[in-house]
Amino acid sequence: MELLKFELYKIFKQKTVYITFFLAILFSTGFTFQLTEHWEKDLYKEWEGPITAEKVKLAEEKNAVLMKKLEDAPDDEPFFFSDRENAEMVVYEGVVWAAGVERNTVAYIKELDRADANAADKLNVAMLNKLDTSYFAYNVGPGKVIDFASVFSIFITGAMLLIGLSAIYTQEYSSGVENYLLSARRGRKQLLWAKVGAASVYTVVIVLAWEVFNLAWNTVQFGSEGWGTPFQHYFKYYFSPYDFTMLEYHLVQMAFHLLGAVSFAVLIVLVSSFSKNALISFFVCSALFGMPFLVVEMLMLPQWVENLFTFTHTFTMNVEPLFDFFKTVNVFGTPVLYPFVAVVMMVIVSGVAVLVNLRYMKRKELSV
């Protein structure tokens, strides 16, 4: 415990940790602030609840009236909708979108539910049959929170882990303290576990810190209404077969992000233990973190290769690729959903990193 406290002290005493976090949070705001008016939220009240054919038809008719207004505007004069009209169009389109999710689900079930359906299709149908995406309500706030946790969180967590942990072992090498602290036979093993524990605690603190900001920042701007709506109403998850409300998905999202982040922190500890120079450790870990994204986005790879990158730390922390569509890995004829594969991969990578580190430290033991 004393070693753990000392390692935590060394991590959190770094001024660059606080500067990096402040700058990352600042830039994540886009230097903008948008306060949603109460009247905008009130527009959703008459549409709130289960989506019916009557609501869809009325929304389409009212949206058509606004489009007709645009069509009838003189060509030689600029035309702009009022703020209220723009807000009304968002509501109408949201109702139609929600109805589209239901129609898509029904149509896809009919397409997949065949007598000769394979195991993956049967699993997909079973998941789709459980979906209830009919409830509609104002949910801009939850959508913004989920989006922040999918996009900005990766850069914030990644930057904080790289800045805070890349030198977790190299400090011992460069200062010469290593030979004094680790001369005991069991010293290296104890110190390793202290560093892994400190790295994990640091990671949890960072994730909780930006999540508090995420909730506060977006709730103040957009409100907290709508956490009970299906997360398929957020456009990125239109085709997702998972039966989650926005609140349930965000909790799952945070759990997966934290799992990927802790696993990457353990990997950083391993890289640092092999590096005598803090800069080398930083750049190697940066490459491990950023390379999967660059490879997938910039290279034209076969689909199965891109799928493999889904289980790297970067994409696991992003979470979105695990839940946006029905995706499975065939394991001896049994379809295993991507989220379960990602969990197994993160656990394996973390376990291997610790075992390799333990073996490396054992070989470095000083004879008493």
Side-chain angles (χ1 to χ4, degrees), residues 184-186 188 360-367:
R185 185 171 182 80
R186 297 177 59 205
R188 296 182 187 276
Y360 178 65
M361 289 299 153
K362 185 176 182 180
R363 292 178 60 184
K364 288 184 63 179
E365 283 180 355
L366 301 176
S367 57

Side-chain angles (χ1 to χ4, degrees), residues 131-202:
L131 283 185
D132 181 6
T133 58
S134 63
Y135 184 76
F136 177 80
Y138 174 82
N139 56 19
V140 177
K144 295 290 185 180
V145 170
I146 289 173
D147 196 47
F148 187 101
S150 291
V151 181
F152 297 110
S153 66
I154 304 172
F155 300 105
I156 296 174
T157 303
M160 294 302 297
L161 293 183
L162 292 170
I163 293 295
L165 302 179
S166 292
I168 195 168
Y169 255 114
T170 56
Q171 290 175 341
E172 317 292 358
Y173 300 145
S174 60
S175 64
V177 173
E178 176 199 26
N179 295 326
Y180 294 98
L181 291 177
L182 309 177
S183 58
R185 185 171 182 80
R186 297 177 59 205
R188 296 182 187 276
K189 183 177 180 181
Q190 292 174 334
L191 183 62
L192 170 60
W193 283 115
K195 289 184 181 295
V196 169
S200 300
V201 171
Y202 170 74

Side-chain angles (χ1 to χ4, degrees), residues 192-301:
L192 170 60
W193 283 115
K195 289 184 181 295
V196 169
S200 300
V201 171
Y202 170 74
T203 303
V204 172
V205 170
I206 293 303
V207 172
L208 289 178
W210 66 247
E211 170 65 358
V212 169
F213 170 81
N214 179 20
L215 290 172
W217 178 256
N218 287 301
T219 298
V220 168
Q221 293 184 86
F222 307 103
S224 59
E225 301 92 335
W227 281 107
T229 58
F231 85 125
Q232 284 83 2
H233 288 189
Y234 185 49
F235 71 96
K236 291 184 177 181
Y237 302 98
Y238 183 86
F239 295 100
S240 177
Y242 294 89
D243 186 22
F244 292 141
T245 63
M246 285 195 166
L247 176 59
E248 291 168 343
Y249 174 67
H250 185 56
L251 293 175
V252 171
Q253 183 184 35
M254 292 302 299
F256 272 84
H257 181 94
L258 189 57
L259 174 65
V262 170
S263 180
F264 186 63
V266 174
L267 187 61
I268 292 177
V269 175
L270 173 63
V271 174
S272 181
S273 69
F274 280 92
S275 305
K276 296 290 184 180
N277 186 288
L279 280 177
I280 293 176
S281 175
F282 177 83
F283 286 119
V284 170
C285 293
S286 297
L288 291 173
F289 187 75
M291 194 60 67
F293 179 79
L294 293 176
V295 169
V296 170
E297 292 297 321
M298 299 180 67
L299 299 180
M300 298 297 292
L301 299 173

